[in-house]
Amino acid sequence: MIVTTNFNNSTEDMARYEEKDDIRRFCIKNHLDGMEYMRIPQCPEDKVPMELIQGIHLSSYQSWMDLWLRKKKVLLEEYGSMEVVEQLYGGITPQTLIENLRGELNQAQALGAKYVVFHVSEVKIIESFTHRFQYTDREVITAAAELINQVLDAEDYSFDFLMENLWWPGMNLMNPEITEELLEHVHYEKKGIMLDTGHLLHTNIGLHSQEEGVDYILQVLDRNRQIKSYIKGIHLNQSLTGDVACDMKQRLESGEIRLKTDYWERFAQVYSYIFQLDQHKPFTAAGVKGLVEEIAPEYLTFEFITRNRVEHERYLQAQWSALTPDRRGKIIC
């Protein structure tokens, strides 16, 4: 099992480290085999020790279906202008999505990544508040499989291509048939699932404790036992924020929250909300060790959102303590 934590090259996060050796020491100290890396194109990478990259988290576009399906009218309703679409995606045609994904996969191959992570999801800004969606799970996974196949069918990459669950339409693991269809439709042989435990918890706003969360995840996995062997990775984290989701929905419907008309201002609003909702904290319930052992993933990522280096280390220590009774930084299976 390869154990990592999430890194990106944002100026803010890289300010936590002095240079490459500092990140190497951080990984050694925290018993990590390296990093799962998300590259931000406009930020420098001079501090990133590339040899520590085990996996690449690909870019995520929350609302890409209308561009893929050439629905210009709906695109304009969401983004306001095609100029904004181009700013966000780098182009205004479906080919843009193909080129973006292929470019990132080529980079992952060049870096020797063992796996990449791809979100299979679709949500517009207002939908993230209201939970009233334009597209169904099946429509999203069908389009995602088309995009993935157009990129991967012509390539012979060495890495695993892992599709990650979110709580929006797409692969959210709520309907086993949908997930099976996605896996069937994607041609790439080295395909699999990256199970994000925190994202899965968001599909049940009635959860109030981590222990309830473990039980819920095990129930969902039992319903999905046909595809359990495809779960090659885990993003291990937790957020119990059903009250946040309910509160935001009520505040929007009551008019207390008014979404901005400008796309970028509206994006800032939802960005703040998502961080309140999807907190990515350590998953430390007693049953977490058994959960990880049952799945037995090839890749385990402690995926956290932290304010500084001290908090990141504290989260890593808390997560290791939940998984290793002897506290030596080795998972006992």
Side-chain angles (χ1 to χ4, degrees):
M1 184 187 302
I2 295 172
V3 184
T4 64
T5 194
N6 54 303
F7 277 84
N8 68 69
N9 61 316
S10 68
T11 303
E12 180 181 2
D13 278 15
M14 283 294 105
R16 303 176 183 186
Y17 308 98
E18 295 178 2
E19 27 69 31
K20 292 181 180 180
D21 278 344
D22 197 16
I23 294 179
R24 294 185 181 107
R25 289 191 294 269
F26 178 91
C27 289
I28 293 170
K29 178 183 178 182
N30 292 288
H31 311 288
L32 301 170
D33 298 311
M35 64 176 70
E36 182 179 298
Y37 181 56
M38 176 177 277
R39 181 174 181 266
I40 302 174
Q42 63 269 31
C43 294
E45 297 183 291
D46 55 299
K47 290 184 181 179
V48 180
M50 298 297 181
E51 79 280 1
L52 288 183
I53 294 175
Q54 302 286 353
I56 295 287
H57 198 307
L58 303 170
S59 298
S60 174
Y61 302 113
Q62 301 305 318
S63 179
W64 57 275
M65 292 274 291
D66 298 317
L67 180 58
W68 181 252
L69 298 174
R70 299 179 184 271
K71 293 187 176 182
K72 184 175 180 180
K73 180 181 177 182
V74 189
L75 271 174
L76 291 174
E77 290 173 357
E78 176 71 1
Y79 297 109
S81 70
M82 296 308 290
E83 287 75 18
V84 172
V85 174
E86 187 162 17
Q87 290 170 14
L88 186 62
Y89 295 98
I92 59 173
T93 68
Q95 186 64 27
T96 301
L97 296 171
I98 295 172
E99 292 172 359
N100 289 349
L101 180 55
R102 181 173 289 131
E104 290 193 75
L105 293 178
N106 287 340
Q107 289 172 347
Q109 181 72 12
L111 288 169
K114 295 178 177 63
Y115 68 93
V116 299
V117 182
F118 180 76
H119 284 173
V120 179
S121 183
E122 159 74 21
V123 64
K124 291 179 170 57
I125 288 177
I126 193 169
E127 293 173 352
S128 65
F129 290 95
T130 65
H131 294 187
R132 293 191 289 270
F133 305 110
Q134 176 183 350
Y135 294 106
T136 65
D137 292 339
R138 180 166 278 111
E139 287 171 329
V140 176
I141 66 107
T142 299
E146 291 173 354
L147 170 60
I148 293 166
N149 288 336
Q150 288 206 35
V151 174
L152 291 178
D153 281 357
E155 303 293 342
D156 184 26
Y157 295 120
S158 60
F159 48 69
D160 289 324
F161 186 88
L162 306 185
M163 295 167 281
E164 180 178 352
N165 60 296
L166 277 88
W167 61 102
W168 311 124
M171 194 192 76
N172 48 42
L173 302 180
M174 292 296 96
N175 185 337
E177 291 183 5
I178 293 293
T179 311
E180 289 177 38
E181 284 182 27
L182 174 64
L183 291 166
E184 180 182 345
H185 292 340
V186 171
H187 304 152
Y188 190 69
E189 289 187 4
K190 296 182 285 292
K191 61 194 169 188
I193 292 171
M194 174 64 77
L195 172 66
D196 190 298
T197 55
H199 292 171
L200 187 53
L201 296 179
H202 294 324
T203 63
N204 184 345
I205 62 175
L207 298 172
H208 299 291
S209 70
Q210 289 195 35
E211 289 71 23
E212 290 179 359
V214 171
D215 290 342
Y216 175 68
I217 291 172
L218 289 171
Q219 291 168 20
V220 173
L221 291 177
D222 186 59
R223 294 201 304 270
N224 285 274
R225 53 186 173 274
Q226 293 297 108
I227 53 89
K228 218 159 103 177
S229 62
Y230 282 95
I231 302 177
K232 297 183 180 181
I234 300 177
H235 280 171
L236 192 60
N237 65 87
Q238 61 85 16
S239 303
L240 297 168
T241 53
D243 56 337
V244 174
C246 291
D247 178 63
M248 287 295 185
K249 185 174 184 291
Q250 292 171 359
R251 290 173 64 190
L252 184 73
E253 291 175 345
S254 69
E256 183 180 347
I257 294 178
R258 296 183 183 275
L259 294 178
K260 304 290 187 180
T261 55
D262 176 79
Y263 173 76
W264 293 113
E265 292 180 354
R266 198 163 65 252
F267 177 80
Q269 288 178 289
V270 77
Y271 192 79
S272 173
Y273 163 54
I274 294 300
F275 271 92
Q276 294 177 58
L277 187 68
D278 197 24
Q279 296 178 354
H280 282 75
K281 294 181 177 181
F283 204 170
T284 57
V288 169
K289 179 176 181 290
L291 173 64
V292 173
E293 289 174 346
E294 178 171 333
I295 296 171
E298 296 177 40
Y299 314 109
L300 177 62
T301 301
F302 299 159
E303 189 181 47
F304 303 133
I305 295 175
T306 56
R307 292 167 292 186
N308 51 58
R309 179 171 176 167
V310 171
E311 185 172 64
H312 195 174
E313 289 205 53
R314 188 168 70 248
Y315 278 17
L316 288 167
Q317 291 164 6
Q319 193 61 76
W320 273 125
S321 293
L323 295 174
T324 59
D326 65 353
R327 297 177 180 266
R328 291 180 300 176
K330 294 182 180 180
I331 297 176
I332 302 171
C333 293

